[in-house]
C-alpha cells in the first residue's frame, strides 16, 4: 500500500488513517478528501450512499467524477472478490492491512512497517 500511497502523495499518517481511522482524522485537511473517504466507507459498509452524503458530494464533484468514484469502488471490490475466491497468494514482502499500525502519540514516526524500497 505504501508504494502506491507515496506515488499519489499520501503521508504515513494518511495511509494509516485509511486503514484504522476515518474522515475526521486530522491528517485530512480538505472537505474534498473527507467526502471521498466518507463515500468510499459508505459504499464499502452499506453498498450505498445516503441522500445527505450524496448532496454533499454533488456540491464538490461533478457527475462524471461521481460515476468514476462509484465504478472504481465497485471494480476494486470485484477484483478483491476474484482474488480471494481464487486464492491468489499474497505477493512476498507486500504489506497487509494488519501490518499498518494505528496512529497514537506513542508510535508517531513508526506508523508503517519497515519495507524494502523498490527501485523507481
Amino acid at each position: 500500500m505504501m508504494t502506491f500511497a507515496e506515488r499519489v502523495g499520501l503521508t504515513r499518517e494518511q495511509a494509516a488513517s485509511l486503514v484504522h481511522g476515518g474522515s475526521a482524522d486530522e491528517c485530512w485537511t480538505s472537505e474534498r478528501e473527507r467526502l471521498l473517504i466518507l463515500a468510499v466507507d459508505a459504499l464499502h459498509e452499506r453498498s450505498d450512499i445516503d441522500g445527505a452524503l450524496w448532496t454533499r458530494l454533488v456540491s464538490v464533484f461533478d457527475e462524471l467524477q461521481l460515476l468514476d468514484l462509484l465504478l472504481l469502488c465497485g471494480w476494486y471490490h470485484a477484483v478483491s472478490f476474484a482474488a480471494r475466491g481464487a486464492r491468489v497468494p499474497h505477493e512476498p514482502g507486500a504489506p497487509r492491512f494488519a501490518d499498518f499500525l494505528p496512529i497514537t502519540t506513542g508510535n508517531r514516526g513508526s506508523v508503517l512497517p519497515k519495507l524494502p524500497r523498490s527501485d523507481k
Side-chain angles (χ1 to χ4, degrees):
M1 179 175 167
M2 199 56 208
T3 298
F4 296 109
E6 288 173 352
R7 287 183 185 173
V8 298
L10 293 177
T11 66
R12 290 179 171 273
E13 289 78 13
Q14 289 169 328
S17 173
L18 291 173
V19 177
H20 297 287
S23 64
D25 291 345
E26 291 180 10
C27 59
W28 305 112
T29 58
S30 76
E31 180 68 4
R32 186 178 180 89
E33 293 171 335
R34 293 178 188 276
L35 284 172
L36 281 174
I37 294 166
L38 288 170
V40 170
D41 285 349
L43 288 168
H44 178 70
E45 293 165 8
R46 297 180 297 282
S47 301
D48 195 13
I49 296 175
D50 66 43
L53 178 54
W54 189 258
T55 298
R56 291 175 64 195
L57 288 163
V58 170
S59 73
V60 175
F61 300 97
D62 65 35
E63 289 180 2
L64 289 177
Q65 291 171 321
L66 291 171
L67 183 58
D68 281 346
L69 172 67
L70 295 171
L71 293 174
L72 185 61
C73 288
W75 179 246
Y76 274 96
H77 265 253
V79 169
S80 176
F81 297 156
R84 285 192 72 144
R87 304 300 189 257
V88 173
H90 293 278
E91 294 179 44
R96 313 258 321 248
F97 286 124
D99 296 332
F100 289 79
L101 301 173
I103 297 173
T104 65
T105 55
N107 71 359
R108 280 209 186 273
S110 63
V111 177
L112 302 175
K114 294 278 187 197
L115 301 173
R117 299 281 303 179
S118 62
D119 292 333
K120 293 183 180 183

